[in-house]
Amino acid sequence: MDGPADPPAALDPEQQQAVEALTGPVCILAGAGTGKTRAITHRIAAMVHHGVAAPNQILAVTFTTRAAGEMRGRLRALGVERVQARTFHSAALRQLRYFWPRLSAGPFPTIIESKLPSIRAASARVRVQLDPASQRDVASEIEWAKAAQVQTDAYAEAAVAAGREPPLDAATVQKLLAAYEEVNGERGQFDFEDLLITSAYAVEQHREIAAQVREQYRHFVVDEYQDVNPLQQRLLEAWLGDRDSLCVVGDPNQTIYSFTGASASYLTDFARRWPGATVVRLVRDYRSTKQVVEFANRLTPGTTLLAQGGDGPAPTTTAYDDEPAEADGVVARIKALQREGVPLREIAVLYRVNAQSEVYEAALAAAGIPYLVRGGARFFDRPEVREGILRLRVASHAEHDGPLPQLVADALNVADTAPGGRSAREAWESLRAIIGLAEEFPGATLRDFVAELDARAEAQHAPPVDGVTLASLHAAKGLEWDAVFLVGLVDGTLPITHATTPAQVEEERRLLYVGITRARRHLALSWAAARAAGGRRSRKPSRFLDVPRGSAGAAKAPKRIPDDPVEVALREWRLQRSRDDGVPAYVVFDNKTLEAIAARRPADRAELSDVPGVGPKKLEQYADDVLRIVRR
């Protein structure tokens, strides 16, 4: 839904055209930030005020409860009450509860919030062992099969045809799906997809139910129509019957959920399926500055958004030597924005995969900047990370020889290549991130590294109040901020490695487009040539950036001068302080922070606090010593 960056009080010409199309099929193609919620709520209000529809005859369908609540609030402000604004699942559940006595003599099924308990029971039934990540991937396959209306006995063939990457071979997953349905049937349970399936069946197969539903709801509005899947479309068509009072709203350039079964074809083919439909294009972007909009337009050929947000700073594309340097650079820029008056809640760091959050969580925590992780658990709260640290803790009690990264990799027992299945791959990426972190401390012992992980985990319990948002690009859809940092933009991450077909690569491009269009004013894109500090610089920038390696504007880490007397003195002090405190030296300050202090020569506490890696706690503990050494 659109946020506070709404158009002025008067409707623009395209919005007015949408509002005036009160009858018949209507398709509103609404680009990012173009005021689609304003257009559709004014259209609903006009339908009511002109007597085309009574409020309780309109069903507005959205994809989140937050969006539904916002729509109801805006309608109330326009003097319209009693319009039903619901998600597909909420509307289906409400109807199914009402009609259940006509469908069954038994009690209403229990609605399960999670598929995992039933999946575990199904795996035991067919004697297949599943780790937690594989259980989540099987849940995703169940959701996809039901959304795509694939029958259980046809799953294996359909999965191969669709290019799915299940965690196990397709035949085994098919057995699990069948057992899952048996378990739910025996337990009297429905999952969320069953709500839609049974609701559609009730309307399709029972004339009296269809007549009552269609008498109640005569006009339909569907938001985010590019994200509709075949099952949701089936239910929508059951509700409609042979009528045509349907208004759909969406943006093909924001189609990023194909892996769940969503299909933008329902939106792009709307005029063909509904001859004579009114098609309106909203093209005036009220969210972002001219510079951000022009950047977004270049990414998606054929897009012609017209910026209404005035001028602003040019988007930046920055290269870094490694991920820690990239995170430090982002944190330094966040501090600068904060000094300029940008609230932390209006700043977001967006990435392709959840495992990328760790380095930014650590950098923000070290700088004393509060943050919150949206759409996923914080890095150190993830089950695979907790289990991995437990393995490392056990391994640290034995004697080991060899470089730390190899010891960590051996203890975690991580495969060299990513497994199939989205959740299993994300878990693998999280463990690889731990190995990447170990590469920053090659000379440390395993016990010291576990202490470092514990310190990072503890430091990241920052209060989630007025903090920087960390989110994946998928979780950021529908949101917006004054400043957006798009990070980790390397080939293999965006586009992701397993995007192999042209259609999959284009979906990755649209994902970057979604990220760009979240920014109102400040937009920064970045990538790192190596994962760990000092690692091999073999990465290439994302092909979507079209930025040659080593281009102008690339940010470099401060040049290290090993013989610099300030750095030498700081290292000597750090070693003694670590011995006094009984902690590893890098817990006091890591090498990069010491090098940055020596290079910047801070004159006071304010300047020292601007050095990446120097947060309020370390400032309080070490500022006097550090500043004395620098002055001397």
Side-chain angles (χ1 to χ4, degrees):
M1 302 290 284
D2 298 297
D6 260 354
L11 297 168
D12 67 32
E14 295 81 20
Q15 293 169 344
Q16 188 64 41
Q17 182 185 357
V19 169
E20 292 174 354
L22 299 179
T23 60
V26 177
C27 177
I28 303 175
L29 299 172
T34 56
K36 66 182 178 69
T37 307
R38 181 180 179 83
I40 57 178
T41 52
H42 276 74
R43 180 181 181 274
I44 291 171
M47 292 173 69
V48 173
H49 294 325
H50 286 83
V52 173
N56 61 354
Q57 294 175 333
I58 301 171
L59 177 59
V61 186
T62 70
F63 276 78
T64 66
T65 54
R66 180 184 64 83
E70 183 178 343
M71 187 177 291
R72 288 192 296 269
R74 294 201 185 196
L75 287 169
R76 281 195 298 271
L78 294 172
V80 177
E81 302 276 359
R82 297 187 300 127
V83 169
Q84 292 294 310
R86 297 181 175 274
T87 65
F88 272 104
H89 293 95
S90 171
L93 176 60
R94 189 168 185 263
Q95 292 178 17
L96 206 54
R97 284 192 185 280
Y98 182 81
F99 291 116
W100 188 253
R102 306 188 201 179
L103 300 172
S104 172
F108 190 80
T110 301
I111 309 302
I112 56 176
E113 295 289 332
S114 169
K115 293 179 172 64
L116 298 184
S118 295
I119 288 172
R120 286 191 284 269
S123 66
R125 187 167 295 193
V126 299
R127 294 184 173 84
V128 174
Q129 289 190 335
L130 298 174
D131 59 30
S134 295
Q135 292 170 22
R136 295 194 295 272
D137 281 327
V138 170
S140 296
E141 291 306 296
I142 294 171
E143 291 167 7
W144 171 79
K146 290 187 174 186
Q149 299 194 91
V150 173
Q151 297 300 315
T152 301
D153 58 3
Y155 167 81
E157 182 180 351
V160 171
R164 302 291 294 178
E165 293 186 35
L168 308 167
D169 65 272
T172 301
V173 175
Q174 182 168 307
K175 291 179 183 178
L176 284 166
L177 265 63
Y180 169 84
E181 294 296 349
E182 290 176 0
V183 168
N184 280 346
E186 293 167 4
R187 296 179 177 180
Q189 297 177 162
F190 269 5
D191 60 26
F192 287 124
E193 289 73 34
D194 291 330
L195 292 177
L196 306 188
I197 293 169
T198 309
S199 294
Y201 172 84
V203 177
E204 292 165 346
Q205 301 298 322
H206 294 77
R207 290 184 178 180
E208 70 283 3
I209 292 178
Q212 194 165 343
V213 168
R214 292 167 186 166
E215 174 66 22
Q216 172 67 57
Y217 296 117
R218 305 182 186 183
H219 311 275
F220 297 85
V221 176
V222 185
D223 192 17
E224 302 288 1
Y225 195 54
Q226 78 279 350
D227 292 333
V228 163
N229 62 45
L231 176 56
Q232 292 163 335
Q233 180 67 19
R234 173 188 168 189
L235 178 58
L236 177 62
E237 291 174 356
W239 286 337
L240 268 171
D242 58 1
R243 298 165 299 171
D244 68 354
S245 187
L246 171 64
C247 174
V248 301
V249 190
D251 180 7
N253 286 328
Q254 297 188 64
T255 304
I256 59 172
Y257 289 108
S258 296
F259 64 91
T260 67
S263 174
S265 64
Y266 298 119
L267 176 65
T268 56
D269 294 345
F270 188 86
R272 181 182 57 79
R273 291 185 294 110
W274 295 93
T278 300
V279 178
V280 181
R281 296 180 182 273
L282 304 184
V283 296
R284 302 171 199 266
D285 185 323
Y286 297 93
R287 174 184 300 156
S288 305
T289 63
K290 173 185 175 183
Q291 289 76 9
V292 172
V293 170
E294 288 179 346
F295 197 95
N297 285 344
R298 288 197 300 272
L299 185 68
T300 52
T303 301
T304 54
L305 290 179
L306 305 176
Q308 310 294 305
D311 280 323
T316 61
T317 302
T318 308
Y320 291 89
D321 288 337
D322 50 64
E323 282 188 6
E326 183 180 11
D328 287 345
V330 168
V331 169
R333 181 62 184 137
I334 288 172
K335 286 183 175 181
L337 288 171
Q338 190 179 20
R339 286 196 298 269
E340 293 171 15
V342 179
L344 292 178
R345 66 179 177 275
E346 288 294 348
I347 302 174
V349 179
L350 308 181
Y351 36 77
R352 174 61 179 86
V353 296
N354 287 325
Q356 291 173 275
S357 75
E358 188 276 333
V359 67
Y360 293 94
E361 293 181 55
L364 288 166
I369 297 176
Y371 66 88
L372 59 138
V373 180
R374 187 179 184 92
R378 292 182 298 185
F379 184 82
F380 287 100
D381 291 339
R382 294 169 194 164
E384 63 272 12
V385 173
R386 291 201 303 268
E387 181 181 347
I389 294 176
L390 180 61
R391 290 184 189 177
L392 292 173
R393 197 182 309 281
V394 172
S396 71
H397 293 302
E399 294 293 332
H400 297 281
D401 292 321
L404 178 64
Q406 187 59 54
L407 296 178
V408 172
D410 291 343
L412 295 180
N413 192 25
V414 184
D416 291 334
T417 57
R422 188 164 178 256
S423 295
R425 187 182 295 109
E426 288 188 352
W428 177 85
E429 288 164 342
S430 293
L431 296 179
R432 294 296 299 180
I434 294 177
I435 297 172
L437 183 61
E439 293 173 1
E440 297 182 34
F441 309 102
T445 67
L446 198 54
R447 186 168 297 183
D448 286 344
F449 184 63
V450 170
E452 169 70 9
L453 294 176
D454 289 341
R456 289 180 178 232
E458 182 180 359
Q460 288 173 25
H461 290 298
V465 179
D466 193 24
V468 173
T469 299
L470 300 179
S472 70
L473 289 165
H474 282 100
K477 188 171 182 293
L479 304 174
E480 58 187 75
W481 296 270
D482 284 347
V484 169
F485 293 85
L486 302 176
V487 300
L489 301 180
V490 295
D491 259 347
T493 301
L494 191 74
I496 199 78
T497 303
H498 55 269
T500 55
T501 67
Q504 290 170 337
V505 171
E506 282 308 299
E507 181 136 332
E508 295 289 298
R509 183 189 297 274
R510 292 193 295 269
L511 196 54
L512 180 57
Y513 174 83
V514 167
I516 290 169
T517 55
R518 300 310 94 198
R520 297 192 191 105
R521 182 172 178 81
H522 303 277
L523 175 64
L525 302 89
S526 59
W527 64 280
R531 181 169 197 157
R536 191 163 64 92
R537 303 176 65 202
S538 58
R539 290 169 159 185
K540 304 292 185 183
S542 169
R543 69 195 72 171
F544 303 142
L545 296 182
D546 193 25
V547 176
R549 179 90 175 266
S551 62
K556 299 184 180 297
K559 184 179 181 181
R560 185 173 183 273
I561 309 173
D563 294 331
D564 182 351
V566 173
E567 184 178 335
V568 172
L570 285 169
R571 286 176 180 271
E572 292 173 351
W573 163 81
R574 179 182 65 171
L575 179 60
Q576 186 58 50
R577 184 63 188 255
S578 70
R579 289 171 177 169
D580 293 342
D581 293 348
V583 297
Y586 54 78
V587 172
V588 179
F589 282 124
D590 61 25
N591 287 341
K592 293 183 69 63
T593 302
L594 284 190
E595 293 163 14
I597 293 171
R600 296 190 184 195
R601 302 289 207 271
D604 52 33
R605 284 175 173 260
E607 291 185 8
L608 179 59
S609 70
D610 283 341
V611 176
V614 181
K617 185 176 180 180
K618 292 191 176 184
L619 193 68
E620 180 182 351
Q621 290 177 300
Y622 309 130
D624 292 341
D625 289 349
V626 169
L627 292 173
R628 183 170 56 252
I629 291 169
V630 171
R631 293 188 191 110
R632 187 177 65 206

